[in-house]
Amino acid sequence: MPGFADRLNGIAISASAAMTDKASALKAQGVKIVSLSSGEPDFPTPGHVVEAAIVAARGGDTKYPPQDGKPALKKAVQNKFLRDNNLRYELDEILIANGAKQIIYNAMMATCNPGDEVVLPTPYWISYADIARLGGARIVQVPCPAGNDFRLSASDLEAAITPKTKWLVLNFPNNPTGACCPRQDLEDIAAVMMKHPHVWILTDDIYEHLIYDEFEFRTLAEIEPRLKDRVLTVNGVSKAYAMTGWRVGFCGGPRDLIAAMNNMQGQATSGINTIAQAAAIAALEGPQDYLKDRAREYQARRDLVVGLLNAIPGLRCHTPQGAFYVYPEIGACLGKTTKGGRRIETDTDFVMALLEEQQVATVQGAAYGMSPFFRISYATDTDTLREGCRRIAEFVSSLT
Ligand SMILES: Cc1ncc(COP(=O)(O)O)c(C=O)c1O
């Protein structure tokens, strides 16, 4: 057989996608799975957004769009950054892509050379590491321990930066922990980054509207305007507006970086789907009040899940202030054996046995760079969450 590219060495299908596939295969065999592995809202896309897409399709908005996004969507993004983040980006400082994921891909591929380092506060969303590796870069992990609420300490960050550092990637509210970055932490991080002008900073703010307990979201370029010419502020409509399938992400950043990323995108996908762009305009320019209602609903689910998990001897679960994930610690379960005779040495063993013996799909902490933990997504209805936690309790309590 003809061979494959070296750049794919060590790049695996993401663990959450693998778990979702495994759960789907079991479902197809008739097994009733409780799925807590998927990182997408269970709410439908709002009606007015769907309507805007239908109008666009019927109205003939079906030709190749500009590669960097339709002017009307770029204007809507410009307004969004001003409204929500107090950030002023010119239209040539904005790029539209197929999801925040393609924004991140464009950024890494347009800037990384072999030997470059990408600093990742850990645990991190799986794709940052794989995309950086595809770009030839090396990952440098900075642990954000549970004891510090999975937050990034400025001194740990400082110790990780070398002359080879190309990027720092910030993602708060965080996938997989839900951790948020309070204003003081951001100021401390900004102070460190002011000392290292050779480093780009990507802030992935995709969970910005999913915040709880009156937490006030802030983004780095807003906190420290002197960093704005090195910061790529990444966002998208997937999580806030329940539009994961529409594939619209966007960013604001320095003009030259945006131009290089646009060049990269031009050789991959060109401009994104026109119908989805019309939908995204409706999402960003339409009513915003339901975002708070949804956040209240997620907060109630978070409280339910954290309460149920902490009632299970052997698990320890923090109370995150954002996103829709919890990241319980399972150290007390290691070295034990399941009812079905499986030995639990790692968090991967734990989630596999949980799937096979209790049919609950979750994702192992190893996939996010920090063990022994597992990730639960609570972006699902409360009956499913109760049943999932009941099965997890049964599983953990039966370990011997
Ligand atoms: C932190 C983070 N960034 C980006 C994405 C991807 O967003 P999009 O659907 O816009 O590609 C995800 C999806 O899980 C995510 O968790």
Side-chain angles (χ1 to χ4, degrees):
M1 187 168 55
F4 299 100
D6 292 345
R7 72 175 69 87
L8 275 176
N9 290 345
I11 310 286
I13 203 169
S14 88
S16 60
M19 182 52 92
T20 303
D21 289 351
K22 202 168 159 62
S24 304
L26 285 170
K27 260 187 205 158
Q29 293 165 23
V31 181
K32 189 169 174 336
I33 301 287
V34 177
S35 182
L36 305 178
S37 61
S38 171
E40 67 178 341
D42 57 324
F43 295 109
T45 299
H48 70 280
V49 172
V50 176
E51 204 50 47
I54 292 169
V55 169
R58 292 225 166 100
D61 187 359
T62 53
K63 303 290 187 199
Y64 279 129
Q67 188 174 297
D68 55 342
K70 294 205 286 191
L73 178 52
K74 292 177 72 175
K75 284 204 183 87
V77 168
Q78 184 180 49
N79 291 337
K80 174 260 172 298
F81 279 133
L82 263 180
R83 175 185 69 213
D84 297 342
N85 310 113
N86 206 18
L87 285 174
R88 167 85 202 173
Y89 286 111
E90 301 306 325
L91 293 185
D92 59 358
E93 295 174 317
I94 289 171
L95 178 67
I96 311 297
N98 288 278
K101 184 177 251 183
Q102 192 182 22
I103 296 280
I104 297 159
Y105 186 85
N106 287 339
M108 297 285 163
M109 297 304 270
T111 54
C112 288
N113 288 311
D116 286 346
E117 295 174 351
V118 174
V119 172
L120 292 182
T122 303
Y124 49 78
W125 182 46
I126 305 170
S127 291
Y128 302 133
D130 283 333
I131 292 172
R133 286 192 195 106
L134 274 176
R138 197 173 75 78
I139 298 311
V140 176
Q141 300 186 347
V142 183
C144 300
N148 191 33
D149 291 332
F150 299 108
R151 281 156 47 197
L152 173 63
S153 116
S155 55
D156 291 347
L157 168 64
E158 175 129 51
I161 295 177
T162 74
K164 290 185 175 166
T165 307
K166 182 57 74 77
W167 282 97
L168 163 66
V169 178
L170 297 175
N171 169 225
F172 299 100
N174 177 265
N175 177 4
T177 64
C180 290
C181 193
R183 188 184 182 113
Q184 184 60 54
D185 286 17
L186 265 187
E187 284 174 3
D188 296 346
I189 291 166
V192 170
M193 298 316 291
M194 284 300 291
K195 292 192 244 167
H196 299 285
H198 65 292
V199 182
W200 296 109
I201 307 151
L202 188 157
T203 84
D204 179 347
D205 299 343
I206 195 114
Y207 295 103
E208 109 175 86
H209 291 297
L210 302 175
I211 45 172
Y212 318 123
D213 309 328
E214 314 297 320
F215 183 84
E216 284 192 23
F217 175 83
R218 290 280 182 275
T219 192
L220 190 68
E222 175 192 14
I223 292 286
E224 180 45 274
R226 288 175 299 169
L227 285 174
K228 189 164 171 256
D229 62 355
R230 288 194 278 132
V231 171
L232 187 67
T233 306
V234 178
N235 215 314
V237 294
S238 286
K239 315 286 177 170
Y241 301 95
M243 292 177 66
T244 45
W246 298 81
R247 311 308 305 130
V248 184
F250 51 82
C251 64
R255 191 167 285 120
D256 290 350
L257 176 61
I258 295 293
M261 290 168 59
N262 188 28
N263 194 4
M264 182 71 221
Q265 177 162 310
Q267 300 312 329
T269 54
S270 302
I272 79 162
N273 179 313
T274 49
I275 311 304
Q277 293 198 57
I281 294 169
L284 292 174
E285 293 194 332
Q288 303 293 307
D289 40 328
Y290 64 93
L291 299 182
K292 285 215 162 66
D293 299 339
R294 288 186 175 178
R296 265 192 293 279
E297 172 71 28
Y298 283 123
Q299 181 173 326
R301 295 174 183 185
R302 176 205 65 176
D303 291 342
L304 172 71
V305 168
V306 169
L308 291 171
L309 291 173
N310 276 329
I312 304 173
L315 292 191
R316 258 199 317 206
C317 187
H318 63 125
T319 304
Q321 287 188 295
F324 39 56
Y325 309 105
V326 287
Y327 202 60
E329 200 258 338
I330 59 154
C333 302
L334 301 185
K336 296 193 169 169
T337 303
T338 68
K339 236 184 187 169
R342 294 177 174 84
R343 201 162 157 78
I344 308 288
E345 300 291 1
T346 63
D347 51 25
T348 304
D349 296 341
F350 180 92
V351 300
M352 288 304 164
L354 181 62
L355 179 65
E356 276 159 32
E357 298 188 16
Q358 285 290 344
Q359 292 76 49
V360 180
T362 58
V363 186
Q364 64 273 31
Y368 305 99
M370 186 179 276
S371 294
F373 296 86
F374 70 122
R375 189 193 77 169
I376 291 175
S377 163
Y378 57 83
T380 190
D381 62 277
T382 48
D383 286 349
T384 303
L385 293 173
R386 279 183 206 285
E387 176 61 11
C389 290
R390 189 193 64 73
R391 293 188 192 192
I392 293 170
E394 200 170 308
F395 178 77
V396 171
S397 65
S398 71
L399 295 174
T400 49

